[in-house]
Amino acid sequence: MTSTAAYRLHVVRPGALTTVQDAGRTGWAHLGVGRAGALDAPAARLANRLVGNPPDAAVLETTLTGCAVRPDGTVVAVVGGAGCPVTVDGRPVAWGAPVRVPAGAVLEAGPAATGLRSYLAFAGGLVPDAVLGSRSADVLSGLGPAPLSEGDTVPLGDPAGCVPSPAAGPVPWPGAPAELVLPVHPGPRHHWFTASALRTLLTSGYRVSPDSNRIGLRTEGPALERSRTEELPSEGVVLGAVQVPPDGRPVVFLHDHPTTGGYPVVGVVPEHALAGAAQAVPGTRLRFVRA
C-alpha cells in the first residue's frame, strides 16, 4: 500500500537502533511471518494517545542511545518510554508530554537515563508503506522498513483530526524494572527437562544478558538440565516462549522472534508481562515465577 505523506521526517542521528513500529503484523504466523511491533506496547500506545493518534499508529522505537529527526512541517510530538533528555533545536522540552516541533527544527531524544527503549510519536503517525498490514520493521526477517540510517526520510501522516491529550497532570509512564519478574506457564516441552531444572527455573536468580535484542531476552544464570538429549525437530514458537539453547540458559522470545525453533520450550511468558522485558537493561535481576 502506498501512503500519501503530509510531511517527512529527516533522520539527523539514527542512534544505535531506531526502527518504525506499530502494533505488529498479526495473523500470519501460520505462514511463517512473525509479529514484530513495538516491544514496549503500552508505552507506544500511550505516546500515540498523547498526540491524538489511534493506539496502533506507527511510531519510532529507539534503543539506548535515542535519535534525532527533523520534520519538514510543524508537528506535535511526544517522546516517552525510556526516560531521556528531550530537546528541540537544543532547547530542553518536556519528556512524556506533547511538544510542538516547528518545521525544520531538530527533535532529539537523548540517551536513555532509565530503561532501554524510547518511543517518538507524531500527530498523524508515521506512514511508510505497510507490508502485510503493518508498518513495523522486523530485524530478523527484514520485513517492513529498514532500521533508520542518517539521511533517511520517513513519511508523516495527515495530523488533521488528531487532538493531543491535555496534560492535566503527570502521566504514569511505566518505569524500567529494578527487578524483572516474569510469570511463566509450563511450555510444550517442559517434560524434556529434569524436575531439578524446573525447580531451578522458578527459584533461581538470573540477570538480563547484554546479548539481548528485539529477537529475545537472553539470560545469565544457572543452566537448565535436560532429561532428554535427542534432537528436537523444528516446531512453531510463540511470542513469550522460553526456549533453552544448548548452553542451558533460558531465552525469552520477544517480538522479532523466529516462527520455528529446534530447541525445547520450557515455558511461556504471557504477552502482558513482556513490556518490562523491553525496558530491562543488561544486568537487571530477573526471576521467573509460576503464572
Side-chain angles (χ1 to χ4, degrees):
M1 181 179 72
T2 300
S3 303
T4 301
Y7 304 115
R8 301 189 77 83
L9 281 181
H10 298 257
V11 179
V12 177
R13 183 178 66 83
L17 176 66
T18 299
T19 58
V20 176
Q21 299 294 340
D22 58 17
R25 196 168 282 110
T26 57
W28 300 97
H30 65 296
L31 297 177
V33 178
R35 174 185 297 196
L39 289 194
D40 187 346
R45 288 195 294 266
L46 178 53
N48 273 323
R49 180 168 67 82
L50 289 172
V51 296
N53 286 342
D56 58 349
V59 300
L60 293 182
E61 177 185 279
T62 73
T63 305
L64 192 58
T65 59
C67 73
V69 294
R70 184 177 60 245
D72 59 13
T74 298
V75 298
V76 173
V78 163
V79 179
C84 65
V86 183
T87 61
V88 173
D89 269 352
R91 290 176 287 104
V93 296
W95 172 90
V99 297
R100 180 176 179 273
V101 184
V106 174
L107 170 67
E108 177 146 25
T114 60
L116 277 181
R117 294 179 170 91
S118 298
Y119 291 89
L120 284 68
F122 301 86
L126 305 174
V127 292
D129 289 347
V131 178
L132 298 177
S134 170
R135 307 182 198 279
S136 288
D138 186 326
V139 300
L140 182 64
S141 71
L143 285 177
L148 299 188
S149 298
E150 182 179 347
D152 284 352
T153 63
V154 183
L156 282 167
D158 187 350
C162 295
V163 180
S165 176
V171 175
W173 292 88
E179 180 185 46
L180 181 62
V181 179
L182 296 178
V184 60
H185 296 284
R189 301 296 177 189
H190 70 277
H191 57 286
W192 279 48
F193 295 85
T194 65
S196 174
L198 297 177
R199 284 195 300 274
T200 296
L201 176 68
L202 296 174
T203 60
S204 297
Y206 286 87
R207 289 190 180 274
V208 174
S209 165
D211 294 329
S212 302
N213 53 28
R214 281 188 50 87
I215 297 169
L217 182 88
R218 294 184 176 275
T219 65
E220 297 174 339
L224 303 184
E225 181 185 20
R226 284 172 54 168
S227 59
R228 297 174 58 171
T229 58
E230 67 264 38
E231 184 175 350
L232 178 70
S234 287
E235 55 188 7
V237 291
V238 299
L239 178 65
V242 183
Q243 193 181 61
V244 181
D247 70 2
R249 273 77 182 185
V251 178
V252 182
F253 277 143
L254 302 178
H255 286 59
D256 287 1
H257 71 84
T259 52
T260 61
Y263 303 126
V265 172
V266 68
V268 177
V269 176
E271 181 176 347
H272 67 78
L274 295 176
Q279 299 293 1
V281 301
T284 298
R285 298 189 305 275
L286 164 63
R287 284 189 298 123
F288 293 98
V289 298
R290 190 178 299 278

